[in-house]
Amino acid sequence: MMDQAIDVCSSNDEGNVQRQRLLSGTSGVSKQSMTDSIIESLSEAPVHENTGTTSGTVFNILSNVVGGGVLALPYAYAHTGMALGTVLLLAVGAMSGFSMWILMTCSHRLNENKEPNAFSYKAMMVRAWGPMMGKVIEAFIVWYTFGCCVGYASVTGSSLAPLAKNWLDLHGIWESRITWTSIAGVIFAISSSAKNLAELRFTSLLAFITILYVVLCVVIRLFDPESGRPHVDHTAKAFNWGTGIFKAIPLFSVSFGCHYNIPVFYEDLKDRNPQHMTKIIIGSCAIIIATYLVIAFCGYLHFGENTPSYILEYDGSSDSEEGPSDTSDSDEQFGSNDTLINVARLGMFLHFAFVFPLICIACRRSINLFLNRDVDAIPWGQLIIQSFCIVCCAVLLAIVAPDFGVIQDFNGSLFGVFIIITFPGLLLIRLSKDTDVFPTPPPVAFAYVLVVSGIIFSVCGFAVTAASL
């Protein structure tokens, strides 16, 4: 999900100057003419040849979607149980796939209608709902990317603490998540001082491989090394009814985020037609859902109702009194002396170390765009100060936040669900009324389902998470 916000923020450079002028002096312009002007200024990229292959587009979707959110899926199952969690995961996956289809279809119809910037999520929303929607989208990107910074800072501290204890033989304050979150904050502040995203974007393949390794580790650790039989925690259930369901749904939702980039991927596709892209979306979602089911099942079966919000989490409670062994873990966490898991923790730290500055710079850029500032004209010194403030706030919130799951729940329910589910539904509802765009009415009933479901997920998810604090 985070990569989509990164990409859209980095792709709007060319129209920033014109856009600032439009947004700062529109008192005598009608709503429609202002909307058209803003759409024309939101250029995603110069005209280029379509180079995207089927396999390349599938990989782009996979590498955009499968990220840090996968680490909280077993925790989501702890709130729902295996059977109910699977039903909800499949339902959210279907909604996410349908909203991807909506974005692709609207992009296709606008392009067929010879309208400018048909391959931009934000521009399509402005075209449908007016210029204020551009501000709304920008605000959601600001808060969503900042929430991701908080979550990544939290996870980094949890990843480094067991490595310091087991690999470096450090004890005392060096075993604390707070210590390593603070140290990571210093690293993040330095790495986030880059002027633009192009200096840092080379991590998609590394991130995807790291996540797959984590999934493999969780699968391996489900099985007893001596008997080869699966270790199933006695507290694991098929159904877990309760308000925790509304904490799980935002976690599922943010794990499917790729929607900002779907129009861009469609634009780049060689054989560009709705049928081709629909097959790509279905195939990609099938692979993603299969991967998510594996880690959710295995992680939840291993720890049951005690599943940590970050599956690799460590706070010192899981080490055996007899001393380290390669596979020691408790009913709540993987041990600090589990070599296989520690390699995964190191991989996640490296992943977050590279990705955090991308998210931070995307957040910084969106803040300036929201304030109608010309991003390219801002002195580098000011950008460094802005990044430093974002990092400090994110690290402080990561330290005081109860756990990674709470951060993900708030971020997902308040912002992620809207970007992934609600906004695409609103887009189709509005554009379906324009006969120039849709001569034949599309399946709007399902769009209403997305909007209503998204609002319910957001409100209930926020309320339940806040009440649990």
Side-chain angles (χ1 to χ4, degrees), residues 444-457:
V444 181
F446 293 105
Y448 280 103
V449 172
L450 287 183
V451 173
V452 173
S453 300
I455 293 174
I456 292 175
F457 295 163

Side-chain angles (χ1 to χ4, degrees), residues 12 35-36 46 52 84 143 153 194 245 264 269 280 315 317 320 359 362 371-372 400 414 452 459:
N12 287 335
T35 300
D36 293 341
L84 181 58
W143 288 109
I245 293 174
V264 180
L269 194 60
I280 289 175
D315 63 9
S317 65
S320 61
I359 306 297
L371 297 174
N372 300 329
V400 302
L414 289 175
V452 173
V459 173

Side-chain angles (χ1 to χ4, degrees), residues 424-444:
L426 289 172
L427 175 66
L428 184 61
I429 290 172
R430 178 55 68 93
L431 289 183
S432 67
K433 299 177 182 179
D434 190 333
T435 55
D436 290 334
V437 179
F438 284 102
T440 303
V444 181

Side-chain angles (χ1 to χ4, degrees), residues 66-141:
V66 181
V70 71
L71 304 173
L73 291 178
Y75 176 68
Y77 264 43
H79 290 292
T80 62
M82 290 177 291
L84 181 58
T86 299
V87 171
L88 292 174
L89 180 60
L90 292 174
V92 172
M95 288 183 177
S96 178
F98 180 60
S99 60
M100 290 182 191
W101 179 86
I102 287 176
L103 292 168
M104 178 273 296
T105 301
C106 291
S107 181
H108 176 77
R109 293 305 312 161
L110 289 171
N111 184 59
E112 288 289 300
N113 205 34
K114 306 299 182 183
E115 298 198 23
N117 301 294
F119 302 104
S120 165
Y121 182 113
K122 188 191 302 183
M124 286 194 295
M125 294 298 295
V126 171
R127 164 66 172 79
W129 289 94
M132 184 55 66
M133 182 56 76
K135 282 289 188 182
V136 172
I137 296 294
E138 207 72 71
F140 270 73
I141 294 175

Side-chain angles (χ1 to χ4, degrees), residues 379-401:
W380 190 25
Q382 289 187 24
L383 296 177
I384 292 176
I385 294 174
Q386 291 174 0
S387 294
F388 180 77
C389 292
I390 293 172
V391 171
C392 287
C393 292
V395 169
L396 287 175
L397 285 176
I399 290 174
V400 302

Side-chain angles (χ1 to χ4, degrees), residues 325-374:
S325 67
D326 225 20
T327 60
S328 67
D329 55 72
S330 70
D331 291 334
E332 299 182 3
Q333 295 176 343
F334 293 115
S336 68
N337 36 30
D338 188 325
T339 302
L340 186 72
I341 296 297
N342 277 342
V343 172
R345 287 168 173 150
L346 177 62
M348 291 312 303
F349 163 68
L350 295 175
H351 164 55
F352 292 133
F354 284 122
V355 172
F356 185 97
L358 299 179
I359 306 297
C360 181
I361 293 173
C363 180
R364 182 186 72 192
R365 179 178 294 274
S366 290
I367 290 174
N368 287 308
L369 290 177
F370 182 80
L371 297 174
N372 300 329
R373 302 186 68 189
D374 181 1

